[in-house]
Amino acid sequence: MSKNRTRISAVALFSSLTLVLSGCSAELQRGFSPDASGVTNHTDRIIGLWTTSWIVLLGVGVVSWGLIAWALIVYRRRNGATGLPSQLRYNLPIETLFTVIPLILVVGFFAFTARDMSAIEAKVENPDIHIEVIAKQWSWDFNYVDDNVYDSGIQAQFTGTEENIFETLPTLYLPVDKSVRIELNSRDVIHSFWVIDFLYKKDMFPGHTNNMYFTPLKEGTYVGKCAELCGEYHSMMLFNVKVVSQTEYDSRMGALATQGNVGQLSTEYDRNQNLPGGDPTIRG
């Protein structure tokens, strides 16, 4: 019996040390989310909500596990004991506690989530940059509305000979430290615009326009993908986002104009031309 207790104590001590030491890691501090601190004006808020939620839930778990262990030890069957141990029924304070605490947790999670969602979804009245992103099976079109140029992509081409597939993907350019409005539309089925390190994604519906508002704060190249199963080659619906200086952004706009990509890609390329609700060329 003493050997079993020693083993159990050793396992409990090892588990506790592992949990405490893992708390020092950067991964745990950001809740195992991508290392996206400061990438946009929203990522720190999202990381804070995510990590705080896990800390609260871990605290609930520790209390629950502790109560379970306490009940197992205190109310275990003793040597020579027969029949059921004494039963506890209809304890109003405990039943009230088990109702009130979960209710407080649910209301708290809802309140903080609603607060942060309101901030993330807040409309920017006069954004510095307006870009329309159009999803299609299985790639992306980018209309740079302010500069009246466009870029059209094709799905990822896996030939087995490429060294880095991401160098061949369609790339969305954004200037750093400028507020951006991304207008989201789809040409065919439901897609979802997801830049992984932005920690946020939004669905794209045929015949309906969604919007995202944010400010990129850190230059770099970020991976994007469709996050809604949209058909056979969904996994190849990849793209890059390059956050660059204003000078490099202007240079890219000039390069697109030089290539002849002047104007805007319109709804004439949409697969759905008979959507209900009026003129299919007008996005609702």
Side-chain angles (χ1 to χ4, degrees):
M1 188 69 176
S2 60
K3 291 184 177 180
N4 289 337
R5 288 179 177 175
T6 302
R7 290 174 182 172
I8 293 172
S9 299
V11 170
L13 179 61
F14 178 77
S15 301
S16 300
L17 287 174
T18 302
L19 182 62
V20 171
L21 292 175
S22 65
C24 301
S25 68
E27 289 81 2
L28 189 63
Q29 290 178 13
R30 62 174 185 266
F32 296 99
S33 62
D35 186 12
S37 178
V39 171
T40 76
N41 60 320
H42 297 316
T43 52
D44 287 354
R45 177 187 297 273
I46 295 169
I47 291 173
L49 176 64
W50 176 261
T51 306
T52 303
S53 299
W54 274 108
I55 291 173
V56 173
L57 292 172
L58 183 60
V60 173
V62 168
V63 172
S64 300
W65 299 326
L67 290 173
I68 291 172
W70 176 77
L72 290 173
I73 294 170
V74 173
Y75 297 106
R76 72 186 187 279
R77 184 188 293 275
R78 267 70 172 185
N79 291 333
T82 59
L84 293 172
S86 58
Q87 304 295 300
L88 181 64
R89 295 187 178 92
Y90 312 119
N91 188 296
L92 187 58
I94 292 179
E95 292 176 6
T96 302
L97 185 69
F98 287 168
T99 301
V100 171
I101 291 180
L103 182 61
I104 292 174
L105 289 172
V106 170
V107 171
F109 280 127
F110 178 83
F112 285 110
T113 301
R115 178 202 65 184
D116 290 343
M117 284 295 296
S118 296
I120 293 169
E121 288 288 326
K123 181 179 179 180
V124 177
E125 292 298 334
N126 295 297
D128 298 316
I129 303 295
H130 177 197
I131 298 173
E132 181 185 21
V133 175
I134 308 174
K136 59 187 181 183
Q137 291 179 312
W138 287 271
S139 191
W140 309 85
D141 290 337
F142 306 128
N143 280 330
Y144 297 93
V145 179
D146 302 313
D147 295 278
N148 195 36
V149 294
Y150 68 87
D151 195 8
S152 183
I154 61 173
Q155 71 193 51
Q157 303 293 305
F158 291 93
T159 64
T161 59
E162 64 278 342
E163 293 184 6
N164 184 358
I165 187 65
F166 291 98
E167 294 178 354
T168 67
L169 299 178
T171 300
L172 173 64
Y173 280 74
L174 300 174
V176 70
D177 294 326
K178 301 292 184 180
S179 59
V180 179
R181 172 193 172 192
I182 300 290
E183 185 180 335
L184 301 170
N185 291 296
S186 171
R187 295 203 186 281
D188 35 51
V189 299
I190 298 176
H191 299 280
S192 185
F193 180 81
W194 183 26
V195 183
I196 297 172
D197 284 336
F198 289 6
L199 303 182
Y200 201 67
K201 56 189 175 184
K202 184 168 279 191
D203 284 350
M204 310 167 78
F205 300 94
H208 177 80
T209 298
N210 276 333
N211 290 280
M212 292 176 65
Y213 299 91
F214 60 90
T215 301
L217 302 177
K218 189 180 293 185
E219 292 187 27
T221 301
Y222 305 97
V223 176
K225 60 177 66 177
C226 177
E228 187 77 30
L229 183 60
C230 57
E232 183 177 3
Y233 297 105
H234 162 70
S235 61
M236 298 184 183
M237 195 168 169
L238 307 172
F239 66 100
N240 293 318
V241 172
K242 281 194 174 182
V243 179
V244 297
S245 66
Q246 184 66 52
T247 300
E248 187 173 348
Y249 179 79
D250 293 337
S251 176
R252 176 59 180 171
M253 297 301 102
L256 289 174
T258 301
Q259 294 169 16
N261 294 5
V262 177
Q264 302 287 274
L265 296 171
S266 65
T267 58
E268 64 181 307
Y269 299 106
D270 289 6
R271 180 185 305 168
N272 304 313
Q273 294 294 334
N274 60 343
L275 293 173
D279 187 344
T281 63
I282 300 177
R283 296 192 184 276

